[in-house]
Amino acid sequence: MIEKLNSIKEEALNEIQDVNDETSINNFKSKFLGKKSAFSDVMSGMKDLSAEEKKNVGMVSNEVRSFIQDLIDKKADSIKKEGLNKKLEKDKIDVTLPSKKRRAGTKHPLTQVREEIEDLFISMGYDVVSGPEVDSDENCFEKLNLPKSHPARDAQDSFYITDDMLLRPHTSSMQVRYMTSMEEKHAFKMICPGKTYRRDDDDATHSHQFSQVEGLVVGENISLSDLKGTLECFAKRMFGTGREIRFRASFFPFTEPSYEVDVSCFNCDKKGCNICKHTGWIEILGCGMVHPNVLENCGFDHTKYQGFAFGAGIERIASLKYGVTNMRDYFTNDYRFLKNFDRKEI
Ligand code: PHE
């Protein structure tokens, strides 16, 4: 029996060499120590032995069992380690590889243009303010010298929420808010960019929602030449230093005199092209000297103070600057359009 045990030990020692994964280790275990193993046969034969023989065989069998168990444990351990090493080898991170460039979104073109306008006016000492998009009839029209009979007050042009409240049709309502909220009246310069709403049928050049930037300067001895100088600076900053502006007489109830301002076409330099509809000029905003009634309505003494105001469409400026021909592109969130305004990562 002892010989048998020793040959089992020998055999196990030989066979363990071929064991190299989890399945074969399980097979090995059941072959050498399992219920149907040669080892287990020896154990069941022990009951027929004399006490002395039992003792000897018992000792050897214990030794052989723990020898085999030891082989199994060591092998299992090395298989595990080997697996881990292989995994580490495979998952190795090469820290010297260049990283994948992640695209980090970008500001919407209208935001970029608005911020550019803000930067310019901040550099000239203007306050930048914002206010509610739903405002009263009084702020949007009444105090701006727009009489009740004025067609702009027609429900067909504006979105009324109640009889007295509406989505502001222009940022000029902020002229009123700014001036009336000032406790002690004094000279100031402000711009107010923001969203505005009108009942328009949406097409390539119209949208029921758009944005404007309002400008208002009030002080003593403010004249039309201040307005001209300011707008010239604005046009050159937005469209290039070679640009000229021209004033065309116009009408707004809240300014007197009133003008529409054109900028010389940046595409053809006044020669005439598709962009300027062959006139050499492109209209960019409305403006004028603040009407004395507006100053008085907002608590300013018009014999002491004068001012100028202007209102420009941000979509229009952005479109002229970037050659955008369909206004809807600003609102449909199409990545193919938006990516053109991405600041390149270098
Ligand atoms: N509010 C006018 C518009 O929306 C623009 C404007 C603003 C004109 C300020 C003159 C002065 O058309």
Side-chain angles (χ1 to χ4, degrees):
M1 268 182 167
I2 289 180
E3 243 167 64
K4 178 87 188 149
L5 284 169
N6 280 331
S7 78
I8 291 174
K9 184 177 165 185
E10 201 83 351
E11 200 185 336
L13 195 59
N14 266 334
E15 283 196 20
I16 195 78
Q17 320 284 352
D18 303 331
V19 171
N20 47 26
D21 59 23
E22 230 167 284
T23 340
S24 55
I25 210 164
N26 285 336
N27 293 341
F28 181 89
K29 192 172 177 178
S30 71
K31 175 168 178 190
F32 285 97
L33 299 178
K35 279 193 189 117
K36 286 177 187 155
S37 61
F39 183 82
S40 154
D41 284 350
V42 174
M43 298 315 278
S44 41
M46 272 188 40
K47 60 181 184 312
D48 306 323
L49 298 178
S50 69
E52 183 67 9
E53 282 170 329
K54 252 187 203 155
K55 197 177 153 203
N56 286 337
V57 174
M59 248 159 64
V60 176
S61 72
N62 276 346
E63 192 246 319
V64 169
R65 186 198 282 115
S66 65
F67 178 81
I68 294 175
Q69 189 59 51
D70 211 35
L71 285 180
I72 292 171
D73 291 347
K74 282 198 181 122
K75 196 62 171 188
D77 204 42
S78 81
I79 287 173
K80 213 164 133 191
K81 272 197 191 127
E82 209 174 300
L84 190 67
N85 281 340
K86 267 196 195 139
K87 200 163 176 250
L88 283 176
E89 187 68 25
K90 215 170 75 194
D91 295 350
K92 209 152 116 183
I93 295 169
D94 183 351
V95 290
T96 64
L97 275 177
S99 65
K100 268 192 204 157
K101 283 252 181 319
R102 265 172 220 242
R103 298 189 66 93
T106 187
K107 284 181 184 166
H108 191 277
L110 294 178
T111 307
Q112 291 185 25
V113 169
R114 193 198 64 200
E115 288 183 349
E116 208 176 309
I117 298 171
E118 289 173 4
D119 283 350
L120 168 68
F121 283 98
I122 287 170
S123 78
M124 298 197 290
Y126 283 61
D127 204 4
V128 180
V129 299
S130 65
E133 289 167 28
V134 179
D135 211 340
S136 63
D137 190 272
E138 195 179 13
N139 290 338
C140 293
F141 298 130
E142 191 89 13
K143 289 206 158 133
L144 284 170
N145 202 34
L146 264 116
K148 283 248 174 341
S149 57
H150 196 280
R153 297 180 65 143
D154 204 317
Q156 289 190 334
D157 291 321
S158 309
F159 291 107
Y160 276 85
I161 308 286
T162 65
D163 281 351
D164 188 46
M165 296 295 285
L166 65 153
L167 293 180
R168 65 180 179 199
H170 52 189
T171 43
S172 301
S173 53
M174 288 304 294
Q175 293 190 22
V176 178
R177 281 187 169 268
Y178 194 91
M179 289 194 281
T180 50
S181 67
M182 190 182 281
E183 269 169 30
E184 274 178 40
K185 309 298 180 195
H186 56 77
F188 67 85
K189 297 187 269 193
M190 75 86 160
I191 58 162
C192 173
K195 291 192 197 111
T196 46
Y197 304 84
R198 282 182 207 172
R199 281 176 177 245
D200 253 329
D201 286 330
D202 294 1
D203 63 23
T205 52
H206 295 88
S207 165
H208 63 280
Q209 181 205 303
F210 55 104
S211 31
Q212 287 190 331
V213 56
E214 191 80 9
L216 178 63
V217 173
V218 170
E220 294 175 47
N221 303 318
I222 301 286
S223 71
L224 192 57
S225 60
D226 295 315
L227 172 60
K228 281 193 162 175
T230 304
L231 294 182
E232 200 164 283
C233 184
F234 175 55
K236 286 186 185 220
R237 166 71 182 260
M238 299 315 287
F239 302 111
T241 46
R243 305 280 54 86
E244 292 167 45
I245 54 170
R246 76 173 183 189
F247 280 56
R248 272 184 295 113
S250 183
F251 172 78
F252 298 104
F254 32 94
T255 47
E256 180 61 32
S258 302
Y259 302 92
E260 231 127 9
V261 173
D262 301 333
V263 61
S264 59
C265 182
F266 52 88
N267 190 47
C268 65
D269 202 13
K270 292 196 286 188
K271 285 186 200 73
C273 69
N274 278 344
I275 291 182
C276 61
K277 299 197 185 96
H278 304 281
T279 63
W281 297 89
I282 299 167
E283 186 195 317
I284 53 162
L285 54 81
C287 66
M289 299 307 291
V290 181
H291 196 292
N293 289 355
V294 176
L295 288 170
E296 290 295 329
N297 289 344
C298 300
F300 276 78
D301 177 358
H302 85 276
T303 59
K304 185 174 173 203
Y305 290 104
Q306 308 80 45
F308 66 76
F310 59 87
I314 297 181
E315 284 80 359
R316 187 165 176 79
I317 291 172
S319 298
L320 293 173
K321 215 169 144 60
Y322 298 122
V324 176
T325 48
N326 190 347
M327 195 173 179
R328 283 174 285 213
D329 286 341
Y330 291 120
F331 309 113
T332 43
N333 249 351
D334 189 328
Y335 182 65
R336 287 166 299 182
F337 171 73
L338 295 173
K339 73 172 182 209
N340 295 304
F341 301 91
D342 216 341
R343 302 274 153 98
K344 285 210 174 53
E345 208 183 295
I346 314 219

